[in-house]
Amino acid sequence: MARALILTGDAAEELDSMYPVFRLREGGHEAVVTAPTTRAVKLVVHDFEPGWDAYTEKPGHVLPVDLAFAEVDPEDYDALIIPGGRAPEYIRTDPDVARIVTHFFDRGLPVGTICHGPQVPAALGLLRGRTTAAFPPLKRDMELAGATFVDEPDVVDGPMVSCRGWPDLPPWSRAFMQVLEKSTTHP
């Protein structure tokens, strides 16, 4: 059984956040949710509606939080997932988020990013030389961070698995679970 850390905050996209939690648990793994504080985070629902140039946002469910960022010892976890939505915009500036995310990248542990999730490692300089998917309007941001942007549903770059957003969650989840299970299988 692996222990995976879900790094999130208010205004994270509901499906990006909850789908991985449920998929990890379904696979027999532990999903631990972390956010700026231990207060349950307020998720949002992003959708694409005719007549809109951008996605729409509506209030979603709340997601219970297990630990505040400051309480996380990354040594206790085998993998990291960063959901999309608006949370990555502001959590990427948190020094504890930098400490946590850098730990996983430095050790080559599985990292899953969904939609706007790559904004966090991009802001920390961790995508330089990597290949990533992200919400397509972030293409230029990913390239400026030194990454190669790929517009695909399940981009695997070593231990990092990324996708464009919640419509990609089934193929992203299959790819992430394969990377996770391979990394936690001991001879």
Side-chain angles (χ1 to χ4, degrees), residues 169-186:
L169 284 170
W172 173 88
S173 178
R174 276 191 298 276
F176 183 80
M177 294 302 283
Q178 288 172 353
V179 168
L180 177 64
E181 289 165 10
K182 182 180 176 186
S183 77
T184 57
T185 302
H186 303 289

Side-chain angles (χ1 to χ4, degrees), residues 33-44:
V33 178
T34 184
T37 70
T38 56
R39 172 188 53 77
V41 293
K42 296 168 182 74
L43 302 175
V44 296

Side-chain angles (χ1 to χ4, degrees), residues 131-142:
T131 301
T132 189
F135 185 58
L138 295 178
K139 177 182 184 209
R140 186 75 177 130
D141 300 84
M142 296 300 106

Side-chain angles (χ1 to χ4, degrees), residues 3 72-78 99-100 103-104 107 109:
R3 295 186 80 210
V72 172
D73 179 354
E75 291 285 342
D76 293 340
Y77 301 93
D78 304 298
R99 173 182 60 82
I100 294 164
H103 170 88
F104 286 91
R107 286 159 182 78
L109 296 171

Side-chain angles (χ1 to χ4, degrees), residues 4-161:
L5 194 62
I6 314 296
L7 194 75
T8 193
D10 284 334
E13 210 292 321
E14 182 172 286
L15 287 171
D16 291 2
S17 303
M18 296 182 97
Y19 191 106
V21 168
F22 294 144
R23 180 61 185 98
L24 285 161
R25 291 176 182 163
E26 175 191 33
H29 305 291
E30 184 179 358
V32 177
V33 178
T34 184
T37 70
T38 56
R39 172 188 53 77
V41 293
K42 296 168 182 74
L43 302 175
V44 296
V45 175
H46 290 139
D47 210 347
F48 303 93
E49 297 182 27
W52 284 74
D53 291 329
Y55 53 84
T56 60
E57 183 174 286
K58 299 174 181 98
H61 288 89
V62 296
L63 180 63
V65 173
D66 300 301
L67 295 170
F69 295 150
E71 299 171 314
V72 172
D73 179 354
E75 291 285 342
D76 293 340
Y77 301 93
D78 304 298
L80 175 69
I81 296 175
I82 309 171
R86 286 187 292 114
E89 293 174 12
Y90 67 90
I91 67 171
R92 64 186 170 175
T93 65
D94 186 297
D96 284 307
V97 167
R99 173 182 60 82
I100 294 164
V101 175
T102 301
H103 170 88
F104 286 91
F105 275 87
D106 285 352
R107 286 159 182 78
L109 296 171
V111 175
T113 62
I114 303 166
C115 197
H116 285 77
Q119 287 180 310
V120 177
L124 300 171
L126 299 171
L127 293 185
R128 188 167 320 285
R130 293 191 167 273
T131 301
T132 189
F135 185 58
L138 295 178
K139 177 182 184 209
R140 186 75 177 130
D141 300 84
M142 296 300 106
E143 292 170 344
L144 288 170
T148 299
F149 175 84
V150 179
D151 191 357
E152 295 291 334
D154 56 347
V155 176
V156 179
D157 180 350
M160 189 178 82
V161 182

